[in-house]
């Protein structure tokens, strides 16, 4: 029986056996220092010549990154080490000496995005990816906890469908025993049918969009959470969204302190969900985006100009810091100090690349925001500009009819707008939830199906929901990977899922 690193505090001053893989290793004349990972955490293990004997010490010297082993020894409190503890080994059992690891720790920051994507099956082992996946897990657990505690029933929508949910241009077509079928864009239409049977339901499954978009916000395969509530209007829907997001984010803050620290995520920014979410009509959101209307004294255009100036200043400061460190390295310094400074330089170069991208993009974003035409959908940059003036998620509601799905309910007395709602995450992360009150008037639905050029015969089952016991109802869809991106403070969705499938990426 062995112990897990997450339990190591329970063995303070006691003997423990840990099994895992070498995440980092360095040695001196009489000691080998191993950072061990086992999936639950990381800990430093010290293998001393006098403690394990010459034979085991020599064997340990052959270890390299990702070699697998078991170490038995005493657990000692040491606040300087990872997790505040250290294992002082007395015995080693080596399972496998790994080949030369292609993702060497010292060059983590130097590998390109394509290389890391090609080695995704190995890159998942890095501390950063380990932390992201554990945050993802807690988000999933929080989702189930929220709905199950409120008497929702989890149900499953089909992945093969015969009809589109949100337009036909982003469907993956496939053969279903000789019949044309599509991979699901959303389980929402089926969710409506299930809600008419169970009252409160949610689906949680994979969905697919065939958009040829290689942006930080797009995946071809992703996971959606879609609750549907009978006897709900859009106000109640927005209340549910707000409570849901607060619950999930607070669970992550509570359960993932170590992981968020590893990701250098600003927890205080996440904690700002614990305030009332602003609710902004689309027409006002357009004015805010253009800089024609301020939010608590903040102007969207001015904020972008400040962001641009700060990015330019940050580039200059980091370049100066790098030059100073490189000069010191060239002049000579101890091995440990040199490695520390080289690692800092790698990190700062990545930060400079991010800032340089902002310098390239922000002027375009400003121009796009100033010239935005009402009635159009917000693009990714528009969402970024808009959300920068809020420090909590913001709900934009009552959208133009022409840009939203056929099933959204028209605003009473204003058929040009529908009772849709998008939840935009702060810090520029943009849309993570889309929802609406659903149209219950069968005549309006028939007209909209025709307007969207959808095959009427394939929606007859959906129209039956309005023929037999129709009730007001509403729901929403959360993109799991988008909330993971926001929680973890990531630049790209490709890091939010174990094996991303996106335009141009099918392997590994």
């Amino acid at each position: 029986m062995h112990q897990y690193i997450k339990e190591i505090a329970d063995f303070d001053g006691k003997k423990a056996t840990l099994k895992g893989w070498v995440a980092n290793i360095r040695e001196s004349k009489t000691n080998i220092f191993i950072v061990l990972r086992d999936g639950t955490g990381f800990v430093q293990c010290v293998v001393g010549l006098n403690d394990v004997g010459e034979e085991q010490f020599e064997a340990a010297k052959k270890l390299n990154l990702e070699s697998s082993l078991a170490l038995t020894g005493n657990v000692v409190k040491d606040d300087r080490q990872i997790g505040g503890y250290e294992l002082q080994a007395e015995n080693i059992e080596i399972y496998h000496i790994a080949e030369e690891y292609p993702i060497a720790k010292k060059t983590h920051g130097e590998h390109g995005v394509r290389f890391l994507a090609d080695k995704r099956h190995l890159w998942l082992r890095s501390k950063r990816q380990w932390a992201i996946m554990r945050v993802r897990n807690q988000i999933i657990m929080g989702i189930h906890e929220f709905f199950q505690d409120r008497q929702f029933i989890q149900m499953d929508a089909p992945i093969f469908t015969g009809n589109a949910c949100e337009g036909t241009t982003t469907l993956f077509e496939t053969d279903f025993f000789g019949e044309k079928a599509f991979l699901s864009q959303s389980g929402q239409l089926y969710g409506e049918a299930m809600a008419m049977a169970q009252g409160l339901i949610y689906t949680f499954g994979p969905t697919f969009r065939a958009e040829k978009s290689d942006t930080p916000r797009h995946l071809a395969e992703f996971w959606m959470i879609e609750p549907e509530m009978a006897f709900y209007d859009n106000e109640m829907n927005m209340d549910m969204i707000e409570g849901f997001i607060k619950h999930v984010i607070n669970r992550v803050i509570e359960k993932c302190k170590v992981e968020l620290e590893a990701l250098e995520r600003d927890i205080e920014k996440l904690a700002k969900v614990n305030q009332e979410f602003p609710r902004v009509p689309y027409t006002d959101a357009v004015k805010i985006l253009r800089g024609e209307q301020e939010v608590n004294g903040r102007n969207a255009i001015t904020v972008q100009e400040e962001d641009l100036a700060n990015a330019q200043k940050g580039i200059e400061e980091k370049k100066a810091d790098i030059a100073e460190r490189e000069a010191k390295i060239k002049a000579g310094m101890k091995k440990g100090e040199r490695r520390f400074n080289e690692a800092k330089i790698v990190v700062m170069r990545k930060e400079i690349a991010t800032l340089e991208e902002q310098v390239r993009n922000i002027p375009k974003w400003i121009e796009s925001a100033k010239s935005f035409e009402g009635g159009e959908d917000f693009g990714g940059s528009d969402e970024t500009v808009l959300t920068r003036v809020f420090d909590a998620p913001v709900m934009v509601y009552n959208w133009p009819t022409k840009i939203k799905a056929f099933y959204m309910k028209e605003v009473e007395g204003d058929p040009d707008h529908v009772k849709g709602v998008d939840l935009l995450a702060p810090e520029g992360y943009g849309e993570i939830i889309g929802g609406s009150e659903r149209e219950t008037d069968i005549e309006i639905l028939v007209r909209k199906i025709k307007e969207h050029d959808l095959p009427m015969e394939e929606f007859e089952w959906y129209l039956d929901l309005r023929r037999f016991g129709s009730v007001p109802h509403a729901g929403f869809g959360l993109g799991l990977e988008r909330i993971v991106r926001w929680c973890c403070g990531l630049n790209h969705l490709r890091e939010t899922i174990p094996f991303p499938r996106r335009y141009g990426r099918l392997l590994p």
Side-chain angles (χ1 to χ4, degrees):
M1 183 67 180
H2 69 282
Q3 288 72 48
Y4 291 96
I5 292 172
K6 69 176 182 180
E7 304 167 339
I8 198 165
D10 297 335
F11 290 85
D12 185 11
K14 302 175 184 177
K15 188 169 291 188
T17 296
L18 301 176
K19 297 182 179 182
W21 299 265
V22 176
N24 190 21
I25 188 168
R26 59 186 176 88
E27 63 179 82
S28 64
K29 189 174 182 179
T30 58
N31 289 298
I32 298 172
F33 302 92
I34 298 170
V35 174
L36 190 75
R37 65 170 188 85
D38 71 351
T40 73
F42 295 75
V43 68
Q44 176 166 283
C45 303
V46 182
V47 180
L49 174 60
N50 295 333
D51 297 317
V52 301
E54 186 173 349
E55 182 179 348
Q56 287 198 356
F57 190 78
E58 288 300 315
K61 289 171 71 174
K62 297 177 183 178
L63 294 168
N64 50 26
L65 290 180
E66 293 305 317
S67 295
S68 52
L69 71 159
L71 299 107
T72 300
N74 292 314
V75 175
V76 177
K77 178 72 173 170
D78 188 342
D79 292 330
R80 298 171 300 174
Q81 304 305 330
I82 303 170
Y85 291 89
E86 178 179 87
L87 185 133
Q88 297 177 346
E90 296 177 351
N91 185 70
I92 305 173
E93 180 184 355
I94 297 174
Y95 293 110
H96 180 253
I97 302 292
E99 297 178 19
E100 183 178 354
Y101 196 53
I103 310 176
K105 183 174 178 61
K106 66 180 181 180
T107 57
H108 272 181
E110 298 172 5
H111 288 306
V113 170
R114 182 174 294 277
F115 176 85
L116 294 176
D118 290 340
K119 300 296 182 184
R120 183 67 178 167
H121 52 295
L122 300 177
W123 184 232
L124 281 171
R125 304 179 185 186
S126 72
K127 190 171 186 179
R128 175 182 171 86
Q129 303 306 315
W130 167 84
I132 294 168
M133 292 304 121
R134 293 178 75 84
V135 170
R136 179 187 172 103
N137 176 65
Q138 286 299 335
I139 289 172
I140 291 170
M141 295 301 293
I143 289 166
H144 286 297
E145 180 180 68
F146 178 85
F147 289 122
Q148 292 292 328
D149 286 351
R150 286 157 181 79
Q151 309 306 313
F152 280 68
I153 301 296
Q154 184 187 357
M155 300 187 75
D156 301 310
I159 291 175
F160 287 114
T161 68
N163 51 353
C165 179
E166 296 185 4
T168 59
T169 59
T170 62
L171 287 168
F172 280 109
E173 185 176 326
T174 186
D175 181 271
F176 189 73
F177 303 108
E179 186 176 356
K180 183 187 294 186
F182 307 98
L183 297 182
S184 175
Q185 300 166 309
S186 164
Q188 183 237 301
L189 300 185
Y190 298 96
E192 290 187 49
M194 292 185 279
M196 297 305 107
Q198 298 287 351
L200 299 172
I201 69 97
Y202 70 107
T203 63
F204 197 147
T207 50
F208 308 85
R209 300 286 171 91
E211 294 173 279
K212 292 184 177 180
S213 298
D214 188 20
T215 77
R217 300 187 184 196
H218 286 91
L219 290 172
E221 175 186 288
F222 54 97
W223 288 73
M224 285 279 284
I225 300 88
E226 297 179 284
E228 198 72 29
M229 296 87 69
F231 303 102
Y232 267 59
D233 60 22
N234 207 34
E235 285 295 323
M236 299 165 71
N237 193 30
M238 287 191 279
D239 291 341
M240 182 66 71
I241 289 170
E242 182 168 341
F244 170 62
I245 290 297
K246 287 178 176 178
H247 176 87
V248 171
I249 297 299
N250 282 316
R251 180 187 173 95
V252 169
I253 292 171
E254 177 189 353
K255 302 284 188 180
C256 297
K257 289 182 172 61
V258 172
E259 291 83 357
L260 294 173
E261 182 179 350
L263 293 167
E264 298 181 345
R265 185 62 166 113
D266 189 338
I267 295 179
E268 289 186 5
K269 288 184 178 180
L270 284 179
K272 288 182 178 179
V273 298
N274 293 307
Q275 58 182 294
E276 186 176 346
F277 291 3
R279 299 183 184 186
V280 182
Y282 170 86
T283 51
D284 286 349
V286 170
K287 295 175 185 176
I288 294 168
L289 175 64
R290 291 173 179 162
E292 298 167 358
Q293 182 174 315
E294 295 188 343
V295 177
N296 297 323
R298 303 185 76 195
N299 183 284
I301 302 301
T302 302
V303 167
Q304 288 301 308
E305 291 169 344
E306 292 170 353
D307 286 347
L308 178 60
N310 289 333
Q312 292 167 332
K313 182 181 178 182
I315 291 170
E316 293 174 3
E317 290 175 346
K318 291 180 187 300
K319 284 184 175 179
D321 194 350
I322 288 173
E324 184 178 342
R325 290 177 187 272
E326 287 178 333
K328 289 180 179 179
I329 291 171
K330 189 175 182 179
M333 57 177 57
K334 292 181 179 180
K335 186 178 180 180
E337 189 179 0
R338 187 186 76 246
R339 285 182 174 177
F340 173 80
N341 279 280
E342 287 173 344
K344 288 291 290 184
I345 289 171
V346 168
V347 171
M348 283 192 289
R349 283 179 176 157
K350 291 179 69 176
E351 291 171 345
I352 287 172
T354 299
L355 292 172
E356 287 176 338
E357 186 175 2
Q358 290 180 17
V359 170
R360 289 191 298 271
N361 288 334
I362 290 176
K364 301 174 189 175
W365 297 349
I366 292 173
E367 184 59 32
S368 174
K370 286 181 175 179
S371 59
F372 184 85
E373 292 188 12
E376 298 301 318
D377 201 358
F378 294 142
S381 68
D382 301 318
E383 292 174 352
T384 297
V385 173
L386 181 62
T387 57
R388 282 289 289 117
V389 298
F390 298 95
D391 58 6
V394 56
M395 296 189 200
V396 179
Y397 67 95
N398 285 6
W399 287 76
T401 302
K402 68 175 184 177
I403 62 173
K404 287 299 184 181
F406 75 93
Y407 52 74
M408 294 189 181
K409 186 173 183 61
E410 291 183 354
V411 175
E412 290 83 357
D414 183 8
D416 291 333
H417 290 85
V418 290
K419 294 184 178 183
V421 55
D422 283 3
L423 181 75
L424 310 181
E427 304 174 76
Y429 286 100
E431 181 192 346
I432 60 171
I433 283 179
S436 73
E437 185 175 341
R438 316 311 191 187
E439 183 57 71
T440 53
D441 188 316
I442 192 169
E443 293 183 2
I444 293 176
L445 271 178
V446 168
R447 170 170 56 81
K448 293 233 182 130
I449 290 171
K450 291 178 180 178
E451 289 174 354
H452 283 77
D453 197 26
L454 297 171
M456 186 66 67
E457 66 277 7
E458 293 178 6
F459 287 89
E460 283 298 329
W461 70 268
Y462 183 70
L463 295 174
D464 274 350
L465 304 180
R466 275 64 178 174
R467 297 184 178 112
F468 305 101
S470 181
V471 302
H473 61 290
F476 60 89
L478 166 74
L480 176 62
E481 286 72 27
R482 291 192 176 189
I483 193 172
V484 173
R485 179 178 177 236
W486 169 36
C487 278
C488 294
L490 307 178
N491 290 327
H492 205 293
L493 279 178
R494 62 176 162 244
E495 292 191 277
T496 63
I497 190 169
F499 292 96
R501 296 292 178 257
R502 58 191 181 89
Y503 182 58
R505 172 60 60 179
L506 185 60
L507 294 172

